[in-house]
Amino acid sequence: MSILDFPRVHFKGVARVNVPTGNRNINNTLDISNNTAIMEGKPYDVSKPPRNFHDYVKSLGPKFNAQGKLDEEGEFNLSAGYNMRGNNHFSWENTLVTSVQLRPGEYITDDKLVGNKLSLWGHYNEYLRTSFNRARWVDNDPTRRDSALIYAGQLTITDPKSSANTAHILSADIDCTHGVRWLNRGFIEEPINHFLYEEMSEARLFQFTVNKDSKDFILNQLGLDSEFLAELRNKLQDPAVKGLLVQYCVSNLSPPKAPNMPVFCDLHGTIGLWHDDDMATCPTGRILRPDNSEQYAPIALSIKDNWLSLNTAISLPHQRYEEDMPIENGMPPKLSEKVDLGDLYLKSNNGQIIATIPKESYLNNTTNSGIIDIPLPEFDSQFEQQSLKLCSERQTWYESDWYIQAEQHIIAMESPNSVTGEPSTIELGVRSYYRGKPASLSQLATHSLTPDKITGSAYLDTDEDGRGSIIVESLSSGGAELFLGEFYSPVQVRVLPDAWALADTPTEQVNYDFLYQHVMAYYELFYPFMTEAVFSMADKCKCETYARLMWQMCDPKNRDKSYYMPSTREMPAAHAQLFLKYLCNVEQSAMPNILPNEQPKAQISGNIKTKSQLINALKDAVDLELSIMLQYIYSAYSLPNYAIGEHFVSMGRWSEQQLELVNGGEDRRLNSGWRGALLEIAHEEMIHYLVVNNLLMALGEPFYPGKPVLGEDAKDKFGLDTEFSFEPFSEHIIAKFVRFEWPAFFPTVGKSIADFYADITKAIEEIPDLFSKKPVNLSGEHHLFLNEIINREYPGYQFEVYDKDTALFAINFVTEQGEGVAADSPQFEVSHFNRLRAISKTLTNNDIPFEPAYPVLKNPVFEPRMGCNLVTDPAAVELMQFYKGCHELMFQLMMQHFAIKPLGSMRRSRLMNGAIDLMTGILRPLSVLLMTLPSGTLGRNAGPPVPEPINTHVFPDLEQGCMAISEKCKQLADMGKAMVCAKPPTTQIELLEFFQNQMHEIATGKLSREA
C-alpha cells in the first residue's frame, strides 16, 4: 500500500523555509486567543509606531551570536527568533530524483526519470495572475513546532537543464492542505551547543496526494523512453489507484548566519501509488511506535510476496554532524550515518522472528529515502493475527493494532458567535485501520484535552472501509487538542479570536483608522516582512491604493490557497469582512457630483533582414503595446466603479442587471464586470510592453520607454487602419478594441497586429547570431498578470529572454494572450480578442440601449495639440497638469531601474514596485476623478490628458538617480498642495511623500535597492 507498494520514485534535495519566528510567544509578547501584542505585560498601544514594538521584542534577552552561543551583544534572541521577517514561503531547491524502483530491493539509477528536478509550487493567483507562485509553510499554532501546515498547489518534475518555458515530465494539481504527520525531535543524536539545537535536531514527515483524474494531471509530456514511466502509466490504469502519493521529510535545519533570513533543510522523499485504502495526508500500513518518542519516530510496514517493506523515513536518528557550523553557504551541514542499533528483529507477539533487518540496510538511506525492502524467510503466516514489534538492544517499536487518524488533523476554526449565539462546527473525515487494513469500529470515545476550548462528537463510528467522521465544535478561542480514542490520534485546533462584535459595524465606520486599529496593526507588529517586501499597513496611502486587492487576498473563500493573506491564517472571518467594507468606503470616496442623464494566418512581409531592423521593429512593438494599453485604461476608467453604479441604480438610471454587467458582483471577487475585464486586459498589455522590452535588452539594447502614438501618426507607423484614440467606453470603442486583437486565422481586410508580430517572429528565427552563445539573462524577471494556462504549463516562467527559443516563446506569449493563436487553442477562450468580443456581443444584444460611461472628451489635453480636444475648466486643468507630472515620474522610476541594469528581479526592485504603486495609487484615482469633472465643453467631462513621449533624464549612478526622483516627488507633492481650483488629492500627496522619503533613503544607503 502507498509508498510501500511499487513502483516508487525516490528524491533528495533541499527545502527553503522562510517561516516567521516572532510569533512564538517566548517572552509573553503575544496572546493568540485575541491576536494581541503584549509589551511589558500590557497590550501594546497600536497607535504607537510598529517599530517600537519590534525594537522591544528584539531587545529581550537572552541574546546569542551567529555561532549560537550566549552573547550580550549577539544579533539573535529567542523572542524575535531567527527570522522575524519570515513570509511563510516554502520551496524545494535542487531536488532531484535519485532512483526509481519497479521491484523490491532493486534501485534503478539509469532510468530517464532519474536526475530530473522536482518542484513544489503554490496556487495560481487569479487576482494578480502571477506565475512563480510559492507554497507556504504555516505554523497553525505558533507556540508549538508540531503544527506545521503546507499550502501547495502544484507538483512538477522537469529536466533540470530546461528553461522555465519547457514542458514537464509530470505536472499535477495538489488539492489538499497537508500537515506534519510524524515528528522526530531527536533526528540528530548528538546536538551541538547552539540556541537553536532543538529545531536543528528535528525531522518532520509530510504527505500529500495528486489525483490522476484531474484535467491538469500530465504525465511524460516529453515522451521520455523510460521503462519506469511506462510501468507507472500502466499501474495508473487500475481503477483502485486514485493517483500518486508523495511523502517528503524536512530535517537538519541549517543554523542561520544572520537574523531575518530563510533557512535551508535537508529534503528527502518518495512517490508511490495512491490506493483507495490509503489516506491522502497520512502514511498507512502496519504502524509501530517507538518506546522512546524523543529520539525515534514511528515505522510503517507491509508484508507482500515474501518481502517486508518498511517506511523508516525519519524513524532512525543520525549520529552527529560532520561539519563545523555555521556553514558558509547556508546549506544544511553534512550528517554522519544513522545511529548503529545493530540488526533489527521483527517479531510477532508469540516471539517468532519474522524478519531480520541488517544494520547495513538502514545506516545510509541516500538512495532509498528510508524505504527499506527485506526478503523474508518462511514464517508462520498467522502473523497477521498477531501484534508485531521491532527490536534492537537499544530500542523497541510496538505495533498499535488500531490506527485512527483524521484526514485533516491540524485545523483552524471560528469561535462561536458571541453575538447571535450561533455555534461554530466543522466535520472532519476519519479513517480507521486494524493492523494495516481498513476496518470498522463503533463507539470509540473521543477526548478533548482542552474542554474549555473545543468539544467533539462523544463517540466515533466508521464503516467497513474504515471511513467515518466527527463533528468538532469550538467553545472559546486559543490553542486546543482532541484525541480520537488514544494519545496517538490527535487533532490540533486553533480556535480563532472572537471578533463577532465587529461583524455588524456599519460600512461607513470602517475607515482606514478603524481597520488598522482592529485588524491590521496586529499583523504589522508580528509580520514586518509586509513592510519590507510588499507595503506597510501603517501607510494609509498604500492601503487605500490596494484596498480591493487586500479584500481579495483576505477573502475567506481563498483561505486554503497559498496566496491567501495573512499567510499565517489567523484572521477570523469577521475581520476579513471589514476589508470589504473598507473597500466600499474607498470606492464611495470617489463618488462624483451626479451628472444629469445624458444620451450620450498572418501576412509576413519578410522586410526585417538585420539585427538593427529587428531592434527598430521591437521598438515599434513597444510603442504599439503602450498605445493600446493606454486606450484600454482610458475606456475602463470612463466606467463608474461599483459604489457609483449602486448610486445610479438607486436613482433609476441603471438596473441591477446593468450594474452587474459594468461592475460585476457586490462581493468584489473575480467578476468585476466590463470595467474589470478591460483593466485586466490593460494589465496584460503592460506585461507585453515589458516582455518586448526584455527582447530588446536581450539584444543588448537599453530599456525603451516607448512613445504613445495617436491618429494619423499611428496609421503611418503601424500600418493599421483602426483608429488610435482615447475615448470613453461604448459599442463603437469595444468594436475598435476587437479589431486591435483580431487573430490572423480569421479572414480580415488590411494589416493586423498579428501580421506585425509575424514579421518579428520570422526575423528572430532567421537572423543569425542575435544572442550570445552562453545564455545570459539581461532582461528583468517578473510574474504578474499571467493567465492560469501559462502558470499551469510553466509555473516558473518570469519573462526570461536569453536565446532564440526564449525569444520566440516571449513573442508567442504576447500573441497568445492577445489573439489566441488558434481557434482550438486553450488560450483562445481567455484571449483579449475573445474577452472583448464577449463584451461586444453582450452590449450589442442588450434589449435596452445602454451607454454606461461618463460623457468624457475624446483625446483630452490641457495645451493645444493636433487632433485633440482642449480642456479649459480650471480645476480639471490643474489636475491634468498634476497627472502629467506623476505619469512622467512613473516612467522615471522604471527607466532608472533599467538604467543601472540590475541583475535581480523587477518584482523585488523598489523602483519598479514604486512605478506600479504610482500607476495604482495616483494615476488610477486621478483618472477616475478627472472623468467626473467638467471639461469646459458643454455636456462633456474632462479626462486624464493624452500622454506625450517621455523625455526624462536618468543616471548611470543609482544614488544620483534616486536623489533626483526624490526631488521630483517633492516638487509634485508641493504642486498638489498648492492647487487653487481643484481639491488637493490627499492620498496621492501622501504617496508622493512616501516615495520622496524612500528614494532619499535608497540614495543615502539607508535602504536597499531591492526589497
Side-chain angles (χ1 to χ4, degrees), residues 444-460:
L444 177 72
T446 65
H447 171 66
S448 175
L449 192 66
T450 47
D452 60 324
K453 305 290 183 188
I454 60 170
T455 184
S457 307
Y459 296 100
L460 169 66

Side-chain angles (χ1 to χ4, degrees), residues 289 402-406 482-491:
R289 300 190 179 278
W402 280 99
Y403 188 54
I404 302 117
Q405 298 289 327
L482 178 78
F483 294 100
L484 309 178
E486 58 174 15
F487 179 75
Y488 298 120
S489 304
V491 175

Side-chain angles (χ1 to χ4, degrees), residues 79-112:
S79 293
Y82 59 84
N83 189 17
M84 190 170 183
R85 292 181 190 167
N87 60 8
N88 295 103
H89 282 194
F90 174 59
S91 58
W92 296 359
E93 310 286 339
N94 302 320
T95 299
L96 306 177
V97 176
T98 55
S99 69
V100 295
Q101 285 185 268
L102 293 172
R103 287 166 289 278
E106 296 181 16
Y107 303 102
I108 304 169
T109 57
D110 58 356
D111 187 89
K112 294 290 186 181

Side-chain angles (χ1 to χ4, degrees), residues 642-679:
Y642 192 94
I644 298 168
E646 280 186 310
H647 192 83
F648 285 172
V649 171
S650 69
M651 292 176 62
R653 288 182 57 181
W654 287 7
S655 68
E656 290 284 357
Q657 292 76 16
Q658 288 169 336
L659 172 62
E660 185 170 357
L661 285 173
V662 177
N663 295 117
E666 183 181 9
D667 58 13
R668 274 79 158 183
R669 287 179 169 141
L670 277 175
N671 174 22
S672 47
W674 295 338
R675 190 175 192 266
L678 283 176
L679 288 174

